[in-house]
Structure formats: structure tokens, C-alpha cells
């Protein structure tokens, strides 16, 4: 029970507040230290992010031959032939004397289709049932999809046996013919099915330990039963005349659009569309060229593709035929590679077209200038932190101090309190010195260039810039045009010597690790006990916990003392009043 000045008339609450405020001064100091450590940690981590950005950017730009030795190709007629060149192509040229024929794709165009028992026009929402009726084979049942484990002897067990009359199951997207005769020999494209639902494959069939199976199962009742048709599409895959076959189960309620979508999403490698004007289905091989001119390169089975859609008009693809440097040749694709140059034929032409490969000076120049820009931005940022003014009289604000200021005043105070926390920081100065040494040093690679100044990259004359780089554009462009490989070697070295980029990335990695050991956040330093500032923060947290406990004890002691004083004064007042009554009431 606390008595607040009832007997003494003192403002004990205010006295306690003032006493505890004085007692909390060491706590406030510790909290400010903790806040400042948090700000420092954030500053260090910001620097580490920028170091990592440059570290990654260098690997993706100046350290890649594809960026630093890029070639461009000039075509004398870009509308007919265009080309690109890999970095290992020399300053070479080709002449396309004539483009006789472009490569095309195998295409199957169906007959115009109509509904069987209706004069209504067909649309992409017309169902298979309306197109085919009973002209194609249907199987009644319920379609099942399952992931099944393959057992010994190349067998799988289906939870439901196949519906009566079903002729195929799909395993891993491939169709297998169902053989009911238990004694008949199996071929590789056949399976045997017994009454228990066990499916046995040919011993030479290659199967994964677990396979995806799709089949038509017996329906439990007529309401669940639906009709399905089996169809397959085969596309010629090589010169041997071998086909790649993709098979499908289609429901009678499936629409033309759903058939198109299923084919396009399958592994058949064809594009399908339904032309609403001509009422025709069109299938086109995604690849161009021809494998066999004597047979159709599309083949179909099942009544849906052949009877319902009438896909019997197949036009085989053709190869691109052209003459290059006087040699008549052909390719399956309109885009092909010759000696590291990727050439694309766009149109036929009898006029000779010259393709000239040369160093892509603009692209390489842009890669190097981007690196210099990022490097200068990092130097600017780190110089700003190292040279930032430190305001000694501006400590972090406590909650009470912040409440006493306006929002604008508090913001201005925070800006100054956070300024200069890394001023003259030895860790950052060491990192910056390492970066400067890398751009100053000589690289004895044996190439044309051993120093950045030889390709027009030097440090600025202004000492206040802290070692920023500047570029002599004319000199750099000349160096790129004359010897791009020498510039690449200057940055990336060779088997005996490190290049500038390799040395800088190594030093950046060391700097990032050193900063992480101090401020955490990366390089495996995530917990407070793993890095220096985290350890300091833990120590302050422990001190704060101990101080808070002692403050609670002191506050309780002060209250006990004030309460005892109040009680003593109350007793004295009562005794005084009793004595007064005893003396004067009589």
C-alpha cells in the first residue's frame, strides 16, 4: 500500500518521478549507445550491399568474353539475311550468293467440318460428339489418372480394371495396346491385362520406378459412365523415318477448342488452331525442314483426327536451300550456325548478300563504361561515409526527448545524430585503398596492355574525388577496335597472372567478409554472437536488464521509505490531536 502525501502534504509522485529520472540516466546512456550501434550496423550493411553489387556486376560484365569480345555482323541486305557472331569469331565475312528456298514446317490441313445432325454452323465450342457421332470408336467408362509404382517383372497394378472394349492405356504419355489374351506374346508397344487389373509390359520396355498412367476404367454405374475415344499423333523425328508419337483420350463432351488446347500443351511439338472461316483444323510442326520426302511426316490413328477432322492433307516441310561462298547447300532451319556466325534467312533472293563480322566497339565500350560508373558510385558512397561530418553533441533521442521536440526538429536532430558514425573508419579506408591499388597496378600478362591508362582509363586529378576513374573515349574506342582480346586479358588475366577484375573481386570479397564479421548480415554472420556489433549489443542488453532490475528494487525501496514516513507522520498527528483534546477539552 502506497501513501501519497496525505499526512505530509508533499507531492510524492513527482518526487518519485524526479528521483527515478536521475536514477535512469545510466540506462538512457546505454540505450543511446545501443541505438548508435544499430545505426552503425545499418551503415556497414548498406556498404556491403553496394560492394556485393559491384562484385556481381563485374562477373556478369567485364569478366565475360561474350561481353568483352562481342562481335557485330553487318548485312548488306538486312531484310533478306541477318546474322550475329559469337565472341570467338574473327573479323571474317561470308557471301550468301543466292537464297533459293526458305525452310518451312510440315502442315496438316483438315477438311471443312460440320455437325452430323444439325445445320447449325460449327464453332470452336462444338463438341466432338456433335462432329463424329458414332462414326468413330467410343469406349464407355470413367477416365482415371494415377501415379503407379512399377513392380518386379515390369508390372503395374491398376485400382480399377480397364473398361470392356478399351484398347489402349497411356503410360508416361505413350500409348500401349491392350492385349487380353494371356498367352499371346507381347511386343514393346503392347501390354497384357488380367482380371485383377495387373498390367504387364514387354521385358525390354524402359520404365521409371514410378509412372503416370491414364486409362479408361469401368464405371460403377451408368450415371458415372462417359464415352471416350483414343487418338494419336505421330511426327517424324529423324532421317531413319522414326516417328515420335503422342496419344490422347478425348471425352465426347470435349469441344474443338479443348482438343486444340490439349494438342498445343502436349509434347507433340506441334501448333494447332481451328480456322473458324474455313471450318478447318490445322496442325503445324514447330520445327522446320524435311526428314523424308517419300512419306508424310505426320501420321494419325483413331477416328477423331482422320474421320471427324479429316486431317488427310499433309504437306511436308522443306529445307532452306541457298548458296554461300559459291557452295550450294541446305539446312532444315532458316537459322543456322557457320563457323561461329549465326545466320538467319528471311526471304528468297538472287542478289549476293555480304555478311561482315567485326568487333562490336559500341557494346564493349558500354560494358566498360558501365563498370567505371558503378565503381565511381561506390567510391563516392564510401568516401561520403568516411568523410561525413560527425556532430559530437547530437546523441540519439530518448522517447521523452523526442516528445519534447516537433517532428521537424526531431528529424533534423536524427540526421545529425546519424551523421559521421563511420568517419575515418579504418575498415572502410583499408577497403578503399585496396580498390585504388587494383586500378593503379601494372598487370604483366604479356598482352598489348598492362595498365588501365593505356586504354584511356585514369584516375581524376581532383584529390577530393578519392580515386574515381575517368575515361578518354577516343583512346578507349581505339584500343577496343585494335585489340579487344588484349583489353579482356588486362581485366581477366591469364593462367599465370591475375587481371584487374579478378584481383578487385578477391579484395571486394575480403572487404565484405571483414564488414560482415563486424556488422553481420551475410557471409554466415547472422546471429548476434557471431559478429562484433552484435556482441556489443548483447552486452548492452544484459546491462540494461540488470539496471532495470536494480531500478525496480530502488523504486520499491523509495516507496517503502515514503510510506513509512507518511505512517510515522500520521501517527504523530494522531498523538498530537489526542494530546490536544486531552488538555483542552477538559
Amino acid at each position: 500500500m502506497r501513501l501519497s502525501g496525505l499526512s505530509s502534504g508533499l507531492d510524492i509522485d513527482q518526487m518519485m518521478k524526479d528521483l527515478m529520472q536521475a536514477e535512469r540516466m545510466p540506462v538512457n546512456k546505454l540505450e543511446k549507445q545501443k541505438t548508435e550501434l544499430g545505426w552503425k550496423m545499418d551503415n556497414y550493411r548498406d556498404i556491403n550491399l553496394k560492394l556485393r553489387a559491384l562484385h556481381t556486376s563485374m562477373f556478369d560484365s567485364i569478366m565475360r568474353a561474350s561481353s568483352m569480345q562481342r562481335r557485330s555482323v553487318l548485312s548488306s541486305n538486312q531484310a533478306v539475311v541477318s546474322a550475329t557472331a559469337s565472341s570467338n569469331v574473327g573479323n571474317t565475312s561470308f557471301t550468301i550468293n543466292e537464297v533459293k528456298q526458305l525452310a518451312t514446317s510440315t502442315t496438316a490441313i483438315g477438311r471443312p467440318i460440320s455437325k452430323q445432325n444439325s445445320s447449325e454452323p460449327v464453332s470452336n465450342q462444338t463438341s466432338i460428339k456433335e462432329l463424329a457421332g458414332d462414326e468413330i470408336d467410343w469406349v464407355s467408362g470413367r477416365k482415371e489418372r494415377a501415379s503407379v509404382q512399377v513392380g518386379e517383372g515390369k508390372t503395374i497394378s491398376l485400382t480399377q480394371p480397364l473398361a470392356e472394349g478399351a484398347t489402349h492405356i497411356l503410360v508416361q504419355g505413350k500409348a500401349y495396346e491392350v492385349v487380353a489374351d494371356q498367352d499371346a506374346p507381347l511386343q514393346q508397344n503392347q501390354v497384357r491385362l488380367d482380371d485383377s487389373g495387373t498390367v504387364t509390359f514387354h521385358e525390354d520396355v524402359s520404365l521409371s520406378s514410378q509412372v503416370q498412367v491414364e486409362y479408361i476404367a469401368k464405371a460403377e454405374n451408368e450415371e458415372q459412365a462417359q464415352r471416350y475415344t483414343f487418338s494419336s499423333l505421330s511426327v517424324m523425328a529423324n532421317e531413319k523415318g522414326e516417328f515420335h508419337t503422342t496419344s490422347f483420350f478425348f471425352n465426347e463432351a470435349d469441344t474443338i477448342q479443348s482438343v486444340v488446347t490439349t494438342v498445343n500443351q502436349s509434347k507433340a511439338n506441334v501448333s494447332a488452331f481451328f480456322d473458324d472461316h474455313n471450318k478447318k483444323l490445322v496442325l503445324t510442326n514447330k520445327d522446320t525442314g524435311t526428314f523424308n520426302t517419300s512419306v508424310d511426316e505426320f501420321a494419325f490413328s483413331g477416328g477423331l483426327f482422320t474421320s471427324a477432322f479429316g486431317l488427310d492433307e499433309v504437306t511436308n516441310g522443306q529445307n532452306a536451300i541457298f548458296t554461300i561462298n559459291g557452295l550450294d547447300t541446305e539446312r532444315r532451319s532458316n537459322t543456322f550456325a557457320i563457323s561461329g556466325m549465326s545466320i538467319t534467312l528471311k526471304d528468297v533472293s538472287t542478289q549476293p548478300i555480304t555478311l561482315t563480322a567485326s568487333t562490336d566497339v559500341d557494346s564493349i565500350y558500354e560494358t566498360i563504361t558501365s563498370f567505371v560508373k558503378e565503381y565511381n558510385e561506390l567510391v563516392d558512397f564510401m568516401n561520403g561515409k568516411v568523410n561525413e561530418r560527425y556532430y559530437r553533441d547530437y546523441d540519439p533521442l530518448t522517447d521523452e526527448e523526442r516528445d519534447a521536440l516537433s517532428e521537424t526538429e526531431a528529424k533534423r536532430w536524427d540526421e545529425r545524430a546519424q551523421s559521421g558514425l563511420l568517419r575515418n573508419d579504418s575498415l572502410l579506408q583499408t577497403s578503399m585503398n585496396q580498390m585504388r591499388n587494383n586500378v593503379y597496378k601494372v598487370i604483366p600478362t604479356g598482352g598489348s596492355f598492362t595498365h588501365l591508362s593505356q586504354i584511356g582509363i585514369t584516375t581524376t586529378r581532383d584529390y577530393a574525388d578519392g580515386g574515381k576513374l575517368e575515361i578518354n573515349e577516343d583512346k578507349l574506342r581505339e584500343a577496343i577496335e585494335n585489340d579487344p582480346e588484349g583489353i579482356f586479358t588486362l581485366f581477366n588475366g591469364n593462367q599465370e597472372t591475375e587481371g584487374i577484375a579478378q584481383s578487385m573481386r578477391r579484395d571486394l570479397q575480403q572487404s565484405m567478409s571483414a564488414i560482415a564479421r563486424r556488422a553481420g548480415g551475410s557471409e554466415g554472420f547472422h546471429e548476434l554472437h557471431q559478429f562484433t556489433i552484435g556482441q556489443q549489443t548483447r552486452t548492452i542488453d544484459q546491462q540494461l536488464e540488470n539496471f532495470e532490475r536494480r531500478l525496480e528494487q530502488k523504486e520499491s525501496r523509495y516507496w517503502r521509505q515514503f510510506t513509512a514516513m507518511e505512517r510515522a507522520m500520521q501517527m504523530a498527528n494522531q498523538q498530537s490531536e489526542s494530546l490536544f483534546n486531552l488538555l483542552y477539552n477538559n
Side-chain angles (χ1 to χ4, degrees):
M1 178 180 178
R2 294 173 176 175
L3 302 177
S4 299
L6 295 177
S7 301
S8 64
L10 300 175
D11 188 353
I12 293 178
D13 286 336
Q14 185 60 44
M15 293 173 65
M16 281 294 300
K17 184 177 179 180
D18 294 339
L19 281 170
M20 294 311 298
Q21 186 174 3
E23 294 286 354
R24 287 194 66 86
M25 290 182 66
V27 174
N28 292 339
K29 185 176 180 180
L30 286 174
E31 288 178 342
K32 290 184 177 185
Q33 291 177 3
K34 180 180 177 181
T35 300
E36 191 169 289
L37 284 175
W39 288 343
K40 273 190 175 182
M41 182 175 66
D42 291 340
N43 283 337
Y44 278 126
R45 291 184 178 184
D46 287 343
I47 290 172
N48 240 5
L49 288 175
K50 293 188 178 295
L51 291 173
R52 184 171 297 282
L54 180 61
H55 183 272
T56 302
S57 176
M58 290 171 65
F59 182 78
D60 292 335
S61 57
I62 59 172
M63 294 187 70
R64 290 189 181 273
S66 58
S67 298
M68 294 292 287
Q69 295 179 299
R70 182 172 294 178
R71 303 282 176 170
S72 60
V73 180
L74 179 64
S75 171
S76 60
N77 191 339
Q78 191 78 13
V80 176
V81 182
S82 64
T84 58
S86 61
S87 59
N88 58 1
V89 174
N91 293 338
T92 187
S93 66
F94 293 102
T95 298
I96 305 295
N97 308 96
E98 182 181 5
V99 181
K100 298 179 181 179
Q101 175 178 286
L102 292 180
T104 59
S105 299
T106 298
T107 300
I109 301 177
R111 297 188 301 272
I113 57 178
S114 60
K115 296 182 180 180
Q116 279 205 337
N117 300 314
S118 173
S119 59
E120 293 181 0
V122 172
S123 71
N124 60 1
Q125 297 303 314
T126 301
S127 69
I128 297 174
K129 180 180 179 181
E130 293 175 291
L131 294 178
D134 294 325
E135 287 186 359
I136 60 177
D137 293 331
W138 297 101
V139 176
S140 180
R142 185 178 71 251
K143 187 164 69 172
E144 293 284 345
R145 290 188 181 93
S147 180
V148 184
Q149 198 76 23
V150 177
E152 295 182 3
K154 297 288 179 67
T155 62
I156 59 174
S157 296
L158 303 180
T159 56
Q160 294 281 347
L162 292 176
E164 185 177 354
T167 57
H168 293 83
I169 65 171
L170 305 184
V171 180
Q172 296 175 318
K174 180 180 178 181
Y176 289 86
E177 181 184 357
V178 176
V179 176
D181 187 348
Q182 301 298 307
D183 299 323
L186 289 178
Q187 304 297 322
Q188 281 196 332
N189 61 343
Q190 293 179 334
V191 294
R192 180 179 292 111
L193 174 69
D194 63 21
D195 295 337
S196 66
T198 300
V199 178
T200 304
F201 293 84
H202 188 273
E203 60 183 7
D204 292 335
V205 171
S206 176
L207 296 173
S208 304
S209 59
Q210 194 168 17
V211 294
Q212 297 294 323
V213 181
E214 188 174 339
Y215 61 98
I216 308 302
K218 288 183 179 179
E220 295 180 0
N221 51 60
E222 292 185 1
E223 294 179 355
Q224 292 183 353
Q226 295 182 347
R227 293 201 304 174
Y228 295 88
T229 185
F230 171 81
S231 296
S232 63
L233 163 63
S234 300
V235 181
M236 189 167 290
N238 52 43
E239 296 90 341
K240 298 178 181 179
E242 296 174 344
F243 283 87
H244 172 76
T245 301
T246 306
S247 302
F248 312 91
F249 282 127
F250 290 112
N251 188 296
E252 64 179 349
D254 285 339
T255 63
I256 296 175
Q257 182 58 50
S258 63
V259 172
V260 168
T261 301
T262 300
V263 171
N264 284 334
Q265 292 178 348
S266 71
K267 297 180 180 180
N269 196 42
V270 299
S271 295
F273 73 92
F274 176 72
D275 181 56
D276 192 58
H277 176 73
N278 293 299
K279 310 300 181 184
K280 294 181 179 182
L281 180 69
V282 180
L283 302 183
T284 304
N285 193 345
K286 292 181 181 179
D287 295 328
T288 57
T290 183
F291 287 106
N292 194 322
T293 58
S294 61
V295 297
D296 289 343
E297 294 190 8
F298 277 171
F300 305 96
S301 66
L304 180 64
F305 288 133
T306 55
S307 299
F309 290 114
L311 288 168
D312 50 13
E313 182 185 335
V314 177
T315 303
N316 285 347
Q318 62 184 20
N319 291 342
I321 302 176
F322 57 98
T323 304
I324 182 168
N325 286 5
L327 174 68
D328 293 334
T329 186
E330 58 184 83
R331 295 290 188 278
R332 285 203 179 89
S333 173
N334 291 315
T335 298
F336 50 90
I338 295 180
S339 298
M341 186 181 290
S342 178
I343 301 173
T344 299
L345 306 180
K346 300 179 179 179
D347 201 354
V348 295
S349 173
T350 58
Q351 299 297 318
I353 299 165
T354 302
L355 303 173
T356 304
S358 60
T359 301
D360 192 344
V361 176
D362 290 338
S363 177
I364 299 174
Y365 177 81
E366 179 62 30
T367 298
I368 295 175
T369 53
S370 296
F371 157 70
V372 171
K373 181 182 178 181
E374 285 189 70
Y375 174 85
N376 286 342
E377 288 174 351
L378 176 61
V379 169
D380 252 347
F381 185 77
M382 295 181 70
N383 270 329
K385 293 296 182 182
V386 172
N387 298 317
E388 193 174 35
R389 182 177 176 182
Y390 179 66
Y391 296 90
R392 191 177 300 275
D393 297 329
Y394 286 80
D395 293 331
L397 294 170
T398 63
D399 291 338
E400 292 181 356
E401 291 171 341
R402 187 176 298 277
D403 291 340
L405 300 176
S406 68
E407 184 176 347
T408 302
E409 291 172 334
K411 182 179 179 181
R412 188 180 301 116
W413 186 287
D414 285 341
E415 289 175 354
R416 296 195 173 187
Q418 295 180 40
S419 175
L421 295 178
L422 301 183
R423 181 177 176 83
N424 297 327
D425 185 90
S426 60
L427 190 58
L428 300 189
Q429 288 177 329
T430 299
S431 178
M432 293 174 65
N433 288 335
Q434 288 175 336
M435 288 195 299
R436 293 191 193 101
N437 290 336
N438 276 307
V439 298
Y440 295 154
K441 68 182 181 181
V442 174
I443 308 296
T445 59
S448 303
F449 309 110
T450 59
H451 194 271
L452 282 178
S453 61
Q454 294 175 317
I455 64 172
I457 301 176
T458 57
T459 54
T460 61
R461 295 182 179 181
D462 190 349
Y463 179 80
D465 285 343
K468 292 170 64 176
L469 301 176
E470 61 182 0
I471 296 175
N472 182 323
E473 181 174 350
D474 293 337
K475 192 172 182 178
L476 178 56
R477 285 184 176 276
E478 182 182 0
I480 294 171
E481 191 167 352
N482 291 337
D483 190 5
E485 186 174 351
I487 295 178
F488 181 72
T489 303
L490 175 64
F491 280 104
N492 294 282
N494 51 34
Q495 293 181 348
E496 293 79 24
T497 307
E498 268 191 338
I500 292 172
Q502 292 171 320
S503 299
M504 187 175 290
R505 289 187 85 241
R506 185 194 65 241
D507 291 339
L508 287 173
Q509 184 63 53
Q510 292 175 353
S511 296
M512 288 188 290
S513 297
I515 291 175
R517 286 194 294 272
R518 179 170 294 184
S522 62
E523 306 294 333
F525 302 97
H526 301 288
E527 302 296 332
L528 290 179
H529 68 275
Q530 294 176 322
F531 56 95
T532 303
I533 292 180
Q535 294 168 358
Q536 294 171 342
T537 301
R538 288 183 67 191
T539 300
I540 291 176
D541 285 338
Q542 293 171 355
Q543 291 175 337
L544 285 171
E545 186 178 348
N546 293 333
F547 263 110
E548 291 291 349
R549 187 169 57 251
R550 289 200 295 269
L551 287 176
E552 289 178 4
Q553 294 171 351
K554 282 189 177 183
E555 185 177 10
S556 297
R557 178 165 58 83
Y558 283 144
W559 275 112
R560 287 196 301 271
Q561 290 173 340
F562 278 117
T563 300
M565 180 192 73
E566 289 290 326
R567 286 175 176 170
M569 293 185 69
Q570 183 180 16
M571 291 178 62
N573 289 339
Q574 289 175 348
Q575 290 175 351
S576 175
E577 185 178 352
S578 298
L579 182 60
F580 180 84
N581 290 333
L582 181 63
L583 292 176
Y584 294 101
N585 284 347
N586 294 332

